[in-house]
Amino acid sequence: MSVGLDFGTATCSVSHVVENKVRSIALNEGEIFIPSTLCAPSREAITEYLYRHLNISPMSEVGDKLLRGSINKNKTEGLDLIPDDIRFGRQATALYLEDPTDYYYVKSPKSFLGILGLDDIRYTIFEDIVCAMMANIKQNIEASLNKQVDETVIGRPINFHSKGGEESNIQAENILRRAASRAGFKHIEFQFEPVAAGLEYEANLTSDKNVLVVDIGGGTSDCSLIRMGPSWVGKQQRSESLLGHAGSFVGGNDLDINLASQSFMFEFGKDTNSKSGLPMPNMPFWECIAINDVVAQKTFYSRSNLRTLKAMQSSATQPDKLARLIEVYQNTLGHSIVAEAERVKIALSDCGNYTATIQLPSDSLSIPVSLQQMEKSIYWPVRKIQKLVKETLAQAATQPDEIFITGGSARSPIVRETIKSVVGDVPIANGDYVGSVTSGLARWADLCFG
């Protein structure tokens, strides 16, 4: 049996085709979308968990060495690992927030795929993390369907990372393939995410058209100009239908983080001065909300950074605002601030003004945000999306008949107007903002393996 798997930056989802109709598959307590998160007692616990509780062995000498080291370290530290020690999705975040200093937390592992310069150990660690998440997904699929699932088509962005080019893409796809294979999938194919989204749209076309597919995911955005329609349905060889494509490491997370930075963080001391008249250093205000940057998050929540934040507060002209930043540190609230920015972004898709609410232990902040203010806040990531559209049209050397836009941030009128500013007066359509890619992957899996 085959499924389409969207291993996304923000969420993961799976669908399959039943009697020519796409059906979503529940992955976790009935949830169709599971957040791309993992929480464990330690990094070493993940490697031992795969071997001890899932019977998943390493596939290399480096993996064998990593496993032996993990088991020895866990034994030395008295960690008697049980299956429930490793959590995924919302349960992972809930466990981590109980005490962030006690757990190893990974959010959006797709974000670090394609990073070049990794040594063999780090490469293998990344593979173990992805494998654990894929194994959990596979277990949930088979529990929901009561069937063994061996075949999958996995979605991938056109470019995993902004640097490294095709070398980065090869490295990222290799990690995904090896992780999926170790997790138990026997037949694995890949499909570009915007192409998959286009396949879902194509199913409803009654005539052939050139369609510009813009897929704005959580961590990446992709743009493709594709020939599609009845003449192409059911064809596995579609290289001639892809007229142009471009991708970049920018997505909905970047919009949310920039919105939080420009609209919220002044309430925490950003852009204020010290008593000496010098501006407060900007980096801590960025690091606390850069939830897609592992290094930035580790730096902000490090023990040594608390001394830095208290020193900033003692020298501040507005120490009450810096006290809020310390509360963010002490209660690990960076994720919740960005989550509120996402809610604002969604709300401003339908109205011109919205009041954000940020709950701190000591206070509740109400921050009004206008559509114009959001447009200014997300200017640079939106310009990057605009650049993708321009690159795609330049490659194709032709104009689209229609635009199909998908991804959570595709709801934003700012994003839509940005695309129209490049393409002109071309009809824009949208389907399921968050499910089009998964549905298309399911259709491609049915075509490949059916």
Side-chain angles (χ1 to χ4, degrees):
M1 180 177 177
S2 64
V3 297
L5 167 57
D6 182 8
F7 189 77
T9 305
T11 61
C12 298
S13 56
V14 182
S15 294
H16 66 142
V17 175
V18 180
E19 296 178 351
N20 295 320
K21 292 185 178 180
V22 176
R23 306 292 186 191
S24 299
I25 301 172
L27 295 179
N28 186 21
E29 297 182 356
E31 292 180 284
I32 295 174
F33 298 96
I34 178 172
S36 302
T37 53
L38 176 153
C39 187
S42 66
R43 195 278 301 160
E44 291 79 14
I46 300 169
T47 300
E48 183 177 354
Y49 164 80
L50 290 173
Y51 179 76
R52 186 178 301 281
H53 296 298
L54 300 184
N55 198 30
I56 296 176
S57 300
M59 294 178 65
S60 67
E61 292 183 9
V62 175
D64 288 332
K65 180 179 178 181
L66 183 65
L67 175 60
R68 289 193 299 270
S70 297
I71 291 174
N72 289 336
K73 184 173 182 180
N74 291 336
K75 184 176 181 181
T76 300
E77 295 181 354
L79 179 60
D80 186 16
L81 194 68
I82 62 174
D84 198 45
D85 284 335
I86 311 296
R87 306 281 183 88
F88 303 90
R90 300 186 191 282
Q91 290 83 355
T93 302
L95 180 62
Y96 171 69
L97 291 178
E98 288 180 8
D99 189 347
T101 61
D102 278 353
Y103 294 102
Y104 179 80
Y105 182 70
V106 179
K107 179 179 173 63
S108 306
K110 187 177 179 181
S111 298
F112 53 64
L113 296 178
I115 298 175
L116 298 180
L118 301 177
D119 57 36
D120 291 341
I121 289 291
R122 193 169 296 276
Y123 182 100
T124 305
I125 290 171
F126 284 178
E127 183 185 303
D128 280 353
I129 292 170
V130 176
C131 179
M133 296 183 71
M134 284 195 170
N136 175 68
I137 290 170
K138 189 171 187 293
Q139 286 178 338
N140 278 284
I141 294 170
E142 293 177 342
S144 292
L145 301 180
N146 196 27
K147 292 180 181 179
Q148 183 172 328
V149 177
D150 294 329
E151 302 159 336
T152 184
V153 172
I154 302 173
R156 53 151 290 184
I158 291 172
N159 291 310
F160 281 90
H161 212 268
S162 57
K163 299 179 181 178
E166 192 56 24
E167 186 179 355
S168 287
N169 293 332
I170 292 171
Q171 180 247 60
E173 192 170 296
N174 284 342
I175 290 178
L176 287 173
R177 185 180 296 277
R178 287 167 62 93
S181 177
R182 292 175 64 201
F185 290 107
K186 296 178 181 177
H187 304 284
I188 303 158
E189 298 289 343
F190 291 90
Q191 181 56 274
F192 289 130
E193 289 160 357
V195 173
L199 292 174
E200 178 63 12
Y201 182 61
E202 181 179 61
N204 298 308
L205 289 178
T206 57
S207 61
D208 290 352
K209 295 183 178 182
N210 294 335
V211 180
L212 181 69
V213 181
V214 184
D215 175 25
I216 304 172
T220 59
S221 291
D222 290 300
C223 185
S224 298
L225 187 59
I226 308 171
R227 288 193 183 110
M228 59 175 64
S231 298
W232 295 94
V233 172
K235 290 186 178 181
Q236 283 188 264
Q237 298 300 322
R238 297 197 53 157
S239 57
E240 292 181 3
S241 71
L242 187 59
L243 304 178
H245 60 82
S248 179
F249 197 66
V250 60
N253 288 343
D254 299 274
L255 302 182
D256 302 337
I257 291 168
N258 276 267
L259 178 57
S261 175
Q262 299 299 320
S263 298
F264 297 169
M265 296 312 294
F266 64 90
E267 292 286 359
F268 298 85
K270 181 177 180 289
D271 297 335
T272 62
N273 293 333
S274 65
K275 294 173 184 176
S276 67
L278 295 174
M280 283 290 163
N282 191 56
M283 194 56 69
F285 302 101
W286 177 260
E287 289 170 339
C288 77
I289 56 173
I291 60 171
N292 57 356
D293 186 331
V294 176
V295 175
Q297 290 283 279
K298 184 177 181 180
T299 300
F300 182 78
Y301 289 110
S302 65
R303 294 181 187 276
S304 61
N305 194 42
L306 181 58
R307 292 192 297 272
T308 301
L309 298 179
K310 287 184 175 180
M312 289 171 59
Q313 182 190 21
S314 66
S315 68
T317 56
Q318 300 185 54
D320 55 327
K321 290 189 175 182
L322 271 297
R324 293 170 181 163
L325 187 63
I326 292 174
E327 283 192 77
V328 173
Y329 171 95
Q330 292 173 330
N331 296 277
T332 323
L333 298 177
H335 282 88
S336 63
I337 292 174
V338 177
E340 182 62 17
E342 182 183 20
R343 281 189 282 272
V344 171
K345 178 186 67 179
I346 294 171
L348 290 177
S349 298
D350 300 317
C351 61
N353 295 276
Y354 185 79
T355 300
T357 302
I358 297 177
Q359 189 67 50
L360 301 174
S362 65
D363 195 10
S364 180
L365 303 178
S366 296
I367 306 173
V369 184
S370 68
L371 183 62
Q372 292 76 19
Q373 186 178 351
M374 185 177 83
E375 184 175 12
K376 182 178 178 180
S377 298
I378 64 176
Y379 177 85
W380 288 112
V382 168
R383 293 286 78 74
K384 291 180 181 180
I385 295 171
Q386 183 185 56
K387 183 180 178 182
L388 293 181
V389 178
K390 290 180 178 179
E391 289 178 2
T392 301
L393 296 183
Q395 284 182 28
T398 187
Q399 287 292 106
D401 300 311
E402 293 183 4
I403 301 168
F404 177 67
I405 186 169
T406 187
S409 296
R411 296 184 180 93
S412 171
I414 297 170
V415 173
R416 300 169 81 91
E417 287 301 315
T418 297
I419 295 170
K420 289 185 70 173
S421 72
V422 178
V423 183
D425 191 21
V426 176
I428 295 181
N430 54 263
D432 183 346
Y433 282 113
V434 293
S436 293
V437 170
T438 316
S439 296
L441 293 172
R443 291 183 184 277
W444 193 254
D446 188 58
L447 182 62
C448 291
F449 304 117

